[in-house]
Amino acid sequence: MCVCGWKSADHATMAGAPTDFDLTYLRAASFPLGLCYLILASIFVSQQTLFSCPKTLCGRAKLVGQQAHLRFFHASMTLCCIIRFSSFAAISVFEITGLLDTGISGSDEAQQYTWQGKLFTNAFTVMFNMPDIITVCTYLLLVLIFAEVYQESRLHLFDSLDFRRKWLYGYIVLVMVFFGAQIILFVLLFSVNDDGGGLQLSVYLFVTVCNICVVIIFVAFSIYLSITFSGFPYKGEIQRERMRKVASVVNWWTAGRVLWGLTTLTGASEPWLAMLPAWAAPMVITGALVMSEVLPFSWVLYGNFYSMLAMDTSQSYADEAGTLLWPVSYTHLRAHETEADL
């Protein structure tokens, strides 16, 4: 699925090179999509102050780690929306000023895929695909938050800090791999002659692989958590509700990653957008982005997600009589027994 391009000389001999139609559906979809991401970015920026409050207002010191993950999660969504808006705004501006058509010149028989056209196409490929990896890494961070809430909601005897440490290391490694591979592809895209469009196709296939991989990781991680904590009950209804809320958000995001992964896969491997009517292609790409990114982002904002996670309930639970209890260590119990004996 080439996002933009300049008309090529021979569509048959340069099947991988972007054609003039490849930008047609983005021309029509750029304004509504840019408006959606502008609204989301504005809301995210306005809510950034929620994560700058003092520690005493945010909760106990033990929640600082999760609060830091939430701040980073919020900042990642904000960055993704800003980049998305910038790319669609640039397409709209170029369309209005007529710059999108200046690279098409000469007779129909001798039109060349010039270096200006290649630079233009590669630049928009980078702008269009960079937010994809940011969204993938943001989804991974959401999975990490899901795991933390899962183990906090259960009354277990494991070392929570050891769990968090291992999960955080795994997240950092995956993020480095994803961004490192994408940077390498972007460098090759600008430095290697890619008349056949193989590198540009590789960029979209890499996005597809990343989206499918993170979904598989989430499914495997969910099975692992279910097995590991299967014998431990919830601490209470508040913890159960927090777990349900986080799970609903993760499920929204998971469906979005699957949808966008399939969209990039089918769009990159088969030019099915070119087979649609001119009015249908913009609707398809708009619907895919709305379902895979705009709605999951909005669900985080308006689904009571942040306020639910801000509740300090990780170490307390209520028994059937409603009495609030806290799990304590064996040493603590022995100290009370010794005091009673004295």
Side-chain angles (χ1 to χ4, degrees), residues 63-79:
L63 289 181
V64 170
Q66 190 176 98
Q67 289 293 326
H69 293 163
L70 283 176
R71 284 194 295 268
F72 190 55
F73 176 72
H74 188 87
S76 297
M77 288 190 294
T78 305
L79 179 61

Side-chain angles (χ1 to χ4, degrees), residues 25-41:
Y25 64 88
L26 276 182
R27 286 178 173 180
S30 60
F31 180 77
L33 287 174
L35 182 61
C36 288
Y37 283 105
L38 175 61
I39 295 173
L40 281 176

Side-chain angles (χ1 to χ4, degrees), residues 14-34:
M14 298 178 63
T19 64
D20 184 51
F21 179 80
D22 294 326
L23 187 56
T24 301
Y25 64 88
L26 276 182
R27 286 178 173 180
S30 60
F31 180 77
L33 287 174

Side-chain angles (χ1 to χ4, degrees), residues 72 137 140-141 144 167-176:
F72 190 55
C137 294
L140 276 178
L141 186 58
L144 178 63
W167 297 339
L168 184 59
Y169 288 160
Y171 166 77
I172 293 175
V173 170
L174 286 174
V175 169
M176 293 176 63

Side-chain angles (χ1 to χ4, degrees), residues 132-321:
D132 289 333
I133 300 301
I134 296 176
T135 305
V136 165
C137 294
T138 306
Y139 172 77
L140 276 178
L141 186 58
L142 180 61
V143 173
L144 178 63
I145 295 173
F146 167 81
E148 291 180 346
V149 174
Y150 196 103
Q151 61 93 14
E152 283 183 356
S153 66
R154 300 300 182 107
L155 189 62
H156 60 84
L157 303 176
F158 299 111
D159 186 355
S160 299
L161 292 178
D162 183 59
F163 271 114
R164 287 184 176 180
R165 190 180 301 109
K166 293 178 179 178
W167 297 339
L168 184 59
Y169 288 160
Y171 166 77
I172 293 175
V173 170
L174 286 174
V175 169
M176 293 176 63
V177 170
F178 288 158
F179 274 107
Q182 189 183 49
I183 291 174
I184 292 174
L185 286 174
F186 286 165
V187 171
L188 292 175
L189 196 62
F190 285 96
S191 59
V192 177
N193 188 12
D194 188 33
D195 288 338
L199 281 175
Q200 194 177 51
L201 177 63
S202 299
V203 171
Y204 287 97
L205 291 180
F206 175 71
V207 170
T208 300
V209 171
C210 290
N211 279 282
I212 301 303
C213 282
V214 292
V215 171
I216 294 175
I217 290 174
F218 167 66
V219 173
F221 206 25
S222 299
I223 296 174
Y224 162 76
L225 291 173
S226 300
I227 295 175
T228 303
F229 296 95
S230 59
F232 301 99
Y234 283 100
K235 294 177 181 178
E237 288 303 319
I238 295 179
Q239 287 80 359
R240 188 188 297 271
E241 178 63 20
R242 292 176 78 223
M243 189 66 249
R244 186 197 66 80
K245 178 64 66 176
V246 176
S248 66
V249 173
V250 177
N251 290 335
W252 263 102
W253 279 64
T254 302
R257 291 303 89 207
V258 172
L259 174 61
W260 190 244
L262 294 176
T263 302
T264 54
L265 175 62
T266 56
S269 59
E270 294 292 339
W272 56 274
L273 282 174
M275 303 176 185
L276 298 177
W279 59 267
M283 296 181 62
V284 170
I285 192 65
T286 301
L289 276 173
V290 167
M291 294 297 295
S292 61
E293 286 187 3
V294 175
L295 288 182
F297 285 12
S298 302
W299 184 247
V300 171
L301 287 173
Y302 300 105
N304 200 27
F305 180 71
Y306 290 140
S307 59
M308 182 64 68
L309 289 180
M311 298 175 61
D312 185 9
T313 58
S314 60
Q315 296 296 323
S316 63
Y317 69 100
D319 61 7
E320 294 181 356

